[in-house]
Structure formats: C-alpha cells, structure tokens
C-alpha cells in the first residue's frame, strides 16, 4: 500500500515545512470557473489552487483528482476574496486586485493579466481588501476593505470611478441588491449600509447591534456576512444571524445559532450559513434549523454553490475554512468527499 | 477431403445428439427394426416386428411434433419478450419525463414555500404592533384632550390678560393720583416759600 512507505523514510526539512504549512493553512475564498468545471481556492499564504470538479465528481475519480491541478503564488499576502467574470478570475487580498485568465490559468507559470491598487489616502500602510463584488450592469468591480471605503473600478478601463465613504471601521462583506442597483456593505462598526450606485450616496443604514433582539454584546458588533434577496437580507457575525426586511428595516427572524457565522447565502427556499462550528447549517425562513451537515474543517469561512448552467453535473456546494481541505457536498444532506491542497 | 467431410459430419452429428440417448438413437432403432421386419420369415414374428416398427415410428413422429411445437413456442416467446422490452423502454422514457416534471414542480413548490415563509415572517412582525383601529381611536381621544386643554389654556390666558389690564389701569390711576398729590404738595410748598419770603422781606 502506498501509505505505509513514508513512515519508514525519515522526513527531511522540506517535508516538515510542507506538513506544517498544510497544518496551519486557512482557505479564505473560493470561486467557480464560468464553465463550471473548475474551482479556485485561495489561502492565507497567497496561493491559489485550481481543482477540477468534473474530474473529482466523475465515476472514475482517483486520489489524484482530489488534489489541485495547479497551484501558484498569486499574492504576497492572504487571498481574502475572489470573483469571476466570464473570462477572468479576479483575486484580491493585500491591497491589490489581480486578474487571471481562466483559459490560461491551468498552464504552468501563469502570469496575472493586470493588477490594480485603489487610490488609498496614505501610501504608508496598504489596507487589505476583504471583499470583491461584480456589478454586471455597469461592468464594474467594487472593492472594500481596510480603509473603510467602497471603491468602484470600471472593468473596461481600469479606472477607479467612485469612493463611497460612510463606514467608521473596516468593511467585511459586500452584497448586491439586484432590482434597484444598490450595494450593501457590512463592517466592523456593526452597521449595514446600503449605497445607491447611481447617486453614489448612502441610502439606508441599519445598525444591527442597536436592536435588542439580535445584538450579542459579548460577541461584539461586527457584521461578518451578508446576503440579500432584493427585499430581504440576512446578516450575521457578532450579533445573531437575523433575517431583515429591507424596506421597513425590521428584523423578522432570528436564527438561534450561538456561534458567529462567517458566510451566509440564500438558496432556493433555504438559507445556508457556516461559521465557527464544523457544520453547514440549513435554515428555513421561519427560523427553524432544517439540517446541520458536518464538514471536515473545525471552522468554515466560505461557501460556494456551483450553479453555472454550463455544467449541471458539477452542481455542488463546496465549503472551506480553517484547514487545507475543501469539502464537497453533492447533495445538501451529507459531505461526499474533500479536495485538499 | 474425405477426412474433412467425415469430421464435419461427425461434428454435426455430435452437435445434434451427442449423448446417443435421443432422436438419433430412435431413428437408428427404426432402421434396424425395418431391416429385421424385412428379413423376418414367419407371419407372427413379422407382425410383431411390424408392430414394434410402427411404435418406433410413432415415437419418432411424436418427438418430432414436440420439437416443432417447442420451436414455435420459442419463436413466440421471443416476440413476447421483444414486446415487453419495448414497453419497458417506453415506461422508462415516461418515468424520465415525469421525474423532470416533478423536479420543476419541486422548484415551484419551494418558491411558494419561500413566499409563504416571507409572508409569515412579516406577518409576525406586524402582529406585534397594536391594531390600527385602536391606535386611531387613541389618537382621536388624544386629539380631543389636546383641544380641550388648549381651550382651557386660552380661557386662562384671557382671564390673566383681563386681570393684568385691570391691574395696569389701577396702577396707572394710582400713579397719576400720586403725581397729582406730589404736584399739589410742590405747589403748596412753593406758595409757602413765597409767602415766607414776602414776610421776611419787609416794606422798604
């Protein structure tokens, strides 16, 4: 058997280093390719690994299909956020956003297509970029992070068009409200702010920690995750995971989850959330916990649903967090297998 | 060539009836009995040989009939199986279609459930607020009280104005009286002074 061999050979420095690296790896972000067959995952060492979902889901999958097809060093710092347009993968972390071509990403020695840095006030400290959001209607990218502003970058020209001020502390997450083109941002200051993109002004502010039903002062007031469904919004983090009705700014349902949630998303008639626990939680809108499916990482930081129409056989949910593994759920009820860095 | 054809013949015969306990044996038996019957001399023996030969012949015919019927049966079985196979294929296709339909229905049902839950969530929030009629009534009552109190305030203010004016009149009257009295005093003082000065100042 292959496994028995390494125990007999003494481990060299390189292997020890690699094993330590894998032990302390945190996967911050994931993104699916536009063809639906590949998954990109970014970790805290600045590496991006591309996994082939179609190979690992096929019936003749072997152990090698669960390893990345290619891993490359993308950034100097951790890769906090990634999004995909129909041809590019955009990744951001240490203050810069870089673009990679999906068509070339599998070749060795892939170079970034371009890199951009939003105009920061001081050039001394470069704040990190925590969240990226694509606005397809205006073909622009919104970046938000450590400098408490939302920067808009036009994807065709690469120029930074707006900077939205308002948050008093760094921004964790962004969400797009499609009907009226508004962007929601949640930050460490505990407020969810809605910005109208056409007028570049703050339209609504919801200070979650001020509402008694959902605030949990012992956890803090930070908003770690946001998801929106045009009329409704779910947000969580320090305060409890709550469903809000946006037009009336009222909290309607509070989900009884003690651990702070780091990623939340709407899916069909459910809300999927993941955070400090091991499990992916599935909630009904009424507040009931429909299912809790354990994953392999002790804490989860991101969830990704592959709903690309070009690859319906790769329609899976992937979850990644405080480990070097990405769990793949083919059916929301159980964890099928794990891909590993 | 002869060996080949022999081999072929033997092979064919072995294939048809290899174990020697069947139709081939019966045909050989028939041939032997026929030869015996032809060679038999006497009438009785010949008759019994003839009977035996006939029985062998009937056995052969029976076996042949059975085999041909079996062949017919096999053909019909094959047709039957083909028919069943086609039917099963149709029902598989139908089941696939039904599955696709049901999946669509599930999606719709999930959307309906989501809408219902959203409605419930908002309804719960709305229920926690008091009824609109009560609030309207309370508002009306409060409005009336407000009016009443403002009337009272107006009347009190009017009274106060009136009293203030009267007091003012009184005050000014007193002041005038005071002034008049002072003037009178001053006048009388001046007159006295004039008189004393006229007295002290005697006739020159």
């Amino acid at each position: 058997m292959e496994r028995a061999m390494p125990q007999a050979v003494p481990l060299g420095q390189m292997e020890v280093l690699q094993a330590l690296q894998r032990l302390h790896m945190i996967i911050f972000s994931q993104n699916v390719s536009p063809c639906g067959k590949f998954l990109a995952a970014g970790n805290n060492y600045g590496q991006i690994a591309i996994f082939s979902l179609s190979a690992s889901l096929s019936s003749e999958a072997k152990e090698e299909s669960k390893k990345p097809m290619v891993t490359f060093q993308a950034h100097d710092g951790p890769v906090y956020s990634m999004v995909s347009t129909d041809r590019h993968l955009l990744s951001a972390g240490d203050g810069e956003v870089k673009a990679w071509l999906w068509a070339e990403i599998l070749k060795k020695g892939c170079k970034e297509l371009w890199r951009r840095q939003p105009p920061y006030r001081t050039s001394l400290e470069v704040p990190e970029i925590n969240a990226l959001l694509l606005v397809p209607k205006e073909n622009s990218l919104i970046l938000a992070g450590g400098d408490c502003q939302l920067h808009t970058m036009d994807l065709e020209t690469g120029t930074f068009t707006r900077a939205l001020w308002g948050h008093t502390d760094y921004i964790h997450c962004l969400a797009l409200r499609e009907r009226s083109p508004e962007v929601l941002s949640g930050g460490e200051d505990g407020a969810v702010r809605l910005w109208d993109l056409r007028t570049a002004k703050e339209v609504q502010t919801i200070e979650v920690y001020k509402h008694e039903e959902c605030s949990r002062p012992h956890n803090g007031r930070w908003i770690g995750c946001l998801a929106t469904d045009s009329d409704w919004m779910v947000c969580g983090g320090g305060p409890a995971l709550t469903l809000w009705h946006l037009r009336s700014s009222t909290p309607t349902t509070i989900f009884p989850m003690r651990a702070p949630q780091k990623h939340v998303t709407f899916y069909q008639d459910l809300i999927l959330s993941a955070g400090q626990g091991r499990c992916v939680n599935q909630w009904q809108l009424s507040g009931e916990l429909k299912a809790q499916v354990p994953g392999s990482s002790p804490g989860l930081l991101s969830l990704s649903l592959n709903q690309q129409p070009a690859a319906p056989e790769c329609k899976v949910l992937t979850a990644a967090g405080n480990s070097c593994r990405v769990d793949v759920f083919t059916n929301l009820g159980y964890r099928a297998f794990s891909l590993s860095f | 060539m002869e060996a080949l054809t022999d081999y072929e013949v033997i092979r064919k015969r072995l294939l048809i009836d290899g174990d020697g306990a069947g139709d081939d044996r019966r045909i050989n038996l028939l041939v032997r009995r026929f030869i015996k019957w032809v060679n038999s001399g006497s009438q009785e023996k010949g008759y019994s040989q003839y009977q035996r030969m006939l029985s062998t012949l009937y056995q052969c015919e029976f076996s042949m009939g059975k085999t041909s019927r079996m062949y017919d049966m096999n053909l019909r079985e094959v047709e039957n199986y083909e028919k069943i196979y086609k039917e099963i294929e149709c029902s598989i296709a139908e089941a696939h279609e039904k599955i696709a339909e049901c999946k669509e229905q599930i999606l719709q049902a999930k959307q309906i459930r989501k809408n219902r839950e959203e409605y419930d969530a908002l309804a719960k929030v709305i229920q926690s607020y008091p009824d609109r009629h009560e609030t309207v009534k309370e508002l009306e009552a409060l409005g009336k009280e407000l009016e009443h109190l403002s009337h009272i305030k107006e009347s009190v203010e009017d009274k106060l104005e009136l009293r203030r004016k009267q007091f003012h009149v009184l005050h000014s009257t007193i002041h005038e009286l005071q002034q008049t009295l002072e003037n009178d005093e001053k006048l009388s003082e001046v007159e006295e002074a004039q008189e004393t000065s006229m007295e002290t100042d005697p006739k020159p």
Side-chain angles (χ1 to χ4, degrees):
Chain A
M1 287 249 290
E2 293 170 325
R3 302 267 174 184
M5 271 182 44
Q7 288 174 9
V9 176
L11 292 174
Q13 276 281 54
M14 275 308 290
E15 283 114 347
V16 170
L17 267 169
Q18 275 179 15
L20 272 178
Q21 246 199 2
R22 281 168 57 101
L23 192 62
H24 292 289
M25 192 181 292
I26 303 178
I27 298 180
F28 281 110
S29 52
Q30 315 168 48
N31 205 265
V32 176
S33 67
C35 62
K37 302 207 172 114
F38 299 100
L39 179 74
N43 69 7
N44 56 337
Y45 300 120
Q47 298 166 335
I48 294 184
I50 312 285
F51 296 91
S52 169
L53 279 177
S54 49
S56 55
L57 285 168
S58 69
S59 42
E60 57 269 325
K62 299 167 291 233
E63 278 303 308
E64 296 91 62
S65 352
K66 299 191 183 146
K67 288 271 166 200
M69 296 188 68
V70 67
T71 312
F72 56 93
Q73 187 74 28
H75 289 260
D76 298 324
V79 182
Y80 287 123
S81 169
M82 291 197 284
V83 286
S84 273
T85 60
D86 44 351
R87 288 190 15 225
H88 302 112
L89 172 68
L90 305 166
S91 66
D94 51 351
E96 281 187 325
V97 59
K98 295 190 183 176
W100 315 82
L101 256 185
W102 271 112
E104 313 239 323
I105 211 165
L106 290 173
K107 304 186 189 157
K108 282 213 178 254
C110 172
K111 283 259 167 240
E112 75 254 15
L113 213 57
W114 46 258
R115 62 162 85 176
R116 285 245 174 276
Q117 201 183 52
Y120 294 123
R121 273 172 295 166
T122 64
S123 50
L124 289 169
E125 41 148 285
V126 180
E128 75 281 7
I129 298 178
N130 281 328
L132 290 175
L133 184 68
L134 271 178
V135 185
K137 276 192 193 155
E138 350 175 292
N139 197 21
S140 66
L141 178 72
I142 301 188
L143 309 95
D147 66 341
C148 318
Q149 294 174 46
L150 281 89
H151 295 275
T152 320
M153 184 184 104
D154 185 68
L155 280 173
E156 276 187 41
T157 60
T159 52
F160 286 91
T161 44
R162 316 179 192 99
L164 298 169
W165 297 74
H167 274 281
T168 53
D169 208 343
Y170 63 91
I171 300 174
H172 277 280
C173 46
L174 293 171
L176 180 67
R177 190 181 179 190
E178 275 168 25
R179 255 186 256 161
S180 45
E182 287 177 5
V183 174
L184 287 89
S185 61
E188 183 78 10
D189 58 352
V192 173
R193 291 173 204 272
L194 282 83
W195 311 85
D196 185 332
L197 289 174
R198 283 176 290 196
T199 60
K201 287 222 176 74
E202 191 177 322
V203 171
Q204 202 179 346
T205 310
I206 299 178
E207 292 187 302
V208 180
Y209 62 96
K210 284 196 177 156
H211 290 254
E212 272 183 47
E213 310 101 333
C214 45
S215 87
R216 297 188 296 197
H218 55 273
N219 274 344
R221 42 164 92 165
W222 50 281
I223 303 290
C225 53
L226 259 188
T228 180
D229 197 23
S230 283
D231 290 326
W232 301 80
M233 168 191 83
V234 184
C235 68
L241 188 67
T242 332
L243 177 69
W244 292 76
H245 184 235
L246 278 175
R247 285 186 64 189
S248 55
S249 297
T250 48
T252 54
T253 326
I254 297 171
F255 299 102
M257 184 81 207
R258 279 182 50 211
Q261 301 293 292
K262 305 273 175 67
H263 192 108
V264 71
T265 178
F266 280 93
Y267 174 62
Q268 288 179 352
D269 62 331
L270 294 174
I271 292 176
L272 304 174
S273 78
Q276 240 176 37
R278 205 170 256 278
C279 314
V280 175
N281 310 301
Q282 300 171 25
W283 307 91
Q284 305 252 281
L285 287 176
S286 56
E288 284 170 38
L289 182 61
K290 184 173 170 209
Q292 241 180 351
V293 187
S296 66
S297 319
L300 290 170
L301 289 172
S302 72
L303 292 174
S304 160
L305 266 169
N306 181 2
Q307 287 176 314
Q308 298 288 1
E313 71 278 4
C314 293
K315 184 170 179 192
V316 292
L317 168 73
T318 46
N322 292 340
S323 76
C324 58
R325 289 176 295 274
V326 177
D327 298 327
V328 177
F329 299 79
T330 45
N331 157 337
L332 289 184
Y334 65 97
R335 177 182 74 92
F337 56 89
S338 294
L339 304 164
S340 156
F341 251 81
Chain B
M1 278 252 291
E2 287 245 351
L4 260 177
T5 43
D6 257 350
Y7 169 72
E8 288 287 310
V9 166
I10 291 176
R11 188 168 158 235
K12 214 169 183 182
R13 288 181 81 177
L14 277 173
L15 274 174
I16 293 176
D17 186 28
D19 52 357
D23 307 319
D24 206 33
R25 187 177 71 99
R26 231 177 261 135
I27 292 178
N28 287 342
L29 192 63
L30 180 65
V31 166
R32 267 186 268 134
R33 289 217 174 127
F34 177 70
I35 291 174
K36 269 192 211 160
W37 178 62
V38 162
N39 287 339
S40 69
S42 62
Q43 192 70 347
E44 301 140 14
K45 259 200 190 165
Y47 190 66
S48 68
Q49 295 281 354
Y50 176 68
Q51 291 297 328
R52 266 188 231 129
M53 193 182 72
L54 271 183
S55 82
T56 323
L57 189 65
Y58 285 139
Q59 278 181 10
C60 285
E61 276 184 9
F62 173 71
S63 164
M64 191 187 83
K66 199 164 82 168
T67 326
S68 81
R69 288 230 156 68
M70 263 176 58
Y71 174 71
D72 280 339
M73 177 193 84
N74 282 337
L75 281 178
R76 267 188 283 189
E77 275 290 310
V78 164
E79 273 179 34
N80 195 20
Y81 281 141
E82 280 202 18
K83 198 171 68 160
I84 292 180
Y85 176 74
K86 281 199 186 91
E87 272 175 33
I88 289 181
E89 271 196 7
C90 280
S91 55
I92 285 180
E94 266 175 46
H96 274 304
E97 279 179 26
K98 259 194 211 162
I99 285 180
E101 252 186 60
C102 285
K103 279 192 180 166
E104 292 269 315
Q105 283 184 359
I106 278 189
L107 275 179
Q108 271 186 16
K110 280 191 175 172
Q111 182 63 28
I112 290 177
R113 176 157 63 160
K114 182 174 182 191
N115 289 342
R116 208 176 281 154
E117 286 185 341
E118 285 178 4
Y119 172 85
D120 279 341
L122 265 182
K124 226 183 355 174
V125 173
I126 290 176
Q127 286 286 70
S128 67
Y129 286 107
D131 198 6
R132 199 195 326 170
H133 296 290
E134 287 177 18
T135 329
V136 162
K137 275 189 212 154
E138 271 179 37
L139 272 173
E140 279 181 19
L142 279 173
K144 280 194 196 134
E145 235 189 274
L146 206 66
E147 263 189 59
H148 182 66
L149 286 171
S150 61
H151 280 304
I152 292 179
K153 183 177 163 195
E154 271 182 40
S155 62
V156 162
E157 273 183 7
D158 285 342
K159 228 188 265 181
L160 196 64
E161 267 306 304
L162 188 67
R163 299 218 176 127
R164 199 181 283 144
K165 280 185 194 151
Q166 287 180 344
F167 186 69
H168 188 71
V169 163
L170 183 68
H171 186 77
S172 49
T173 324
I174 286 178
H175 198 67
E176 274 183 33
L177 182 64
Q178 217 173 22
Q179 290 280 44
T180 326
L181 285 174
E182 274 178 16
N183 284 346
D184 282 347
E185 258 192 49
K186 273 195 193 142
L187 272 175
S188 61
E189 266 179 25
V190 164
E191 278 180 16
E192 269 188 32
Q194 273 187 357
E195 275 187 24
T196 46
S197 71
M198 275 184 54
E199 275 179 20
T200 50
D201 214 22
K203 312 167 223 160

